[in-house]
Amino acid sequence: MTDNKLDAGALKAFVHPVRLRLYELLEEHGAATATQLAARVGENTGVTSYHLRKLAAHGLIVDAPEQGKGKERFWKTTGFTADIDELRRNPETAQAAEALVTATVHQRGAELARWVEESRTVPRPWVVASLHTHRGMRLTLEQLEELNRQVTELLDAFQERVRDQADEEAVRVVVNVDAFPVGIDHPS
């Protein structure tokens, strides 16, 4: 479960394009060193080390000592939560919050597009096990809050259960859930 809350300082540090990309790579590929990440982002190790330390200073990534040998320093993500609405309403963080929302939307779109491409060639059982669903329903505010709470609890529990999974057949799976009202023409 993620209990690291993204505050204004962490948000401002996080939305730097190189840091966002480093975080994405750590999420996608697991723990890595500054040298490994430098090769993936086309930067030198000094640049990636600097940005990794900035992410670590805000608790967004931590050392992964179980991965390293000798002086190798591996990093892994910690996960976080953020009250984006609050951050978007704060004049000091509004621009950074908008940048994070935009980056998240782009990342989700890129992940889905990549899956569509890969799904043509991956083993069929993985395609069949995947989920693409869309539900439209009429909910009250309280029902939407309950739905979001239940989905979050389920995802948190499942993530905790598989957190340190060493099964060689396990692959990275992305779960994106969006539940939001559309067509509201009056503020509440």
Side-chain angles (χ1 to χ4, degrees):
M1 185 165 18
T2 58
D3 53 19
N4 187 17
K5 185 151 179 6
L6 197 65
D7 62 15
L11 172 67
K12 289 177 182 178
F14 187 49
V15 297
H16 186 284
V18 173
R19 293 179 200 144
L20 281 170
R21 184 66 184 131
L22 293 173
Y23 191 90
E24 288 172 5
L25 288 169
L26 289 171
E27 276 197 321
E28 183 174 343
H29 300 286
T33 66
T35 302
Q36 292 168 333
L37 292 166
R40 290 192 174 171
V41 297
E43 295 284 353
N44 66 51
T45 303
V47 169
T48 55
S49 291
Y50 170 79
H51 288 297
L52 289 167
R53 286 192 306 274
K54 290 291 188 185
L55 290 170
H58 292 282
L60 296 164
I61 64 170
V62 293
D63 278 316
E66 65 280 2
Q67 300 286 325
K69 297 174 186 163
K71 292 184 179 183
E72 288 182 317
R73 186 175 193 181
F74 278 75
W75 298 96
K76 63 183 178 181
T77 61
T78 59
F80 61 87
T81 60
D83 185 339
I84 294 298
D85 179 57
E86 177 184 317
L87 294 167
R88 287 170 80 187
R89 290 174 188 263
N90 180 340
E92 293 181 23
T93 57
Q95 186 175 2
E98 288 294 331
L100 179 58
V101 169
T102 301
T104 301
V105 169
H106 287 295
Q107 178 187 7
R108 287 180 178 183
E111 288 169 341
L112 186 54
R114 185 171 128 191
W115 167 244
V116 167
E117 222 22 69
E118 290 177 356
S119 68
R120 295 182 178 114
T121 58
V122 299
R124 181 136 175 80
W126 285 101
V127 176
V128 172
S130 299
L131 173 67
H132 299 282
T133 187
H134 176 88
R135 300 281 194 283
M137 56 186 91
R138 295 183 58 78
L139 302 176
T140 65
L141 175 61
E142 292 77 20
Q143 290 167 330
L144 177 59
E145 290 171 340
E146 179 185 352
L147 173 66
N148 288 336
R149 190 172 35 260
Q150 287 184 21
V151 169
T152 300
E153 288 172 2
L154 174 65
L155 291 173
D156 285 348
F158 209 89
Q159 186 176 35
E160 188 61 34
R161 188 175 112 198
V162 300
R163 180 174 308 283
D164 297 317
Q165 180 162 253
D167 189 330
E168 290 185 18
E169 292 183 20
V171 300
R172 180 176 177 262
V173 172
V174 174
V175 178
N176 289 318
V177 177
D178 299 299
F180 52 90
V182 293
I184 294 180
D185 57 2
H186 59 279
S188 37

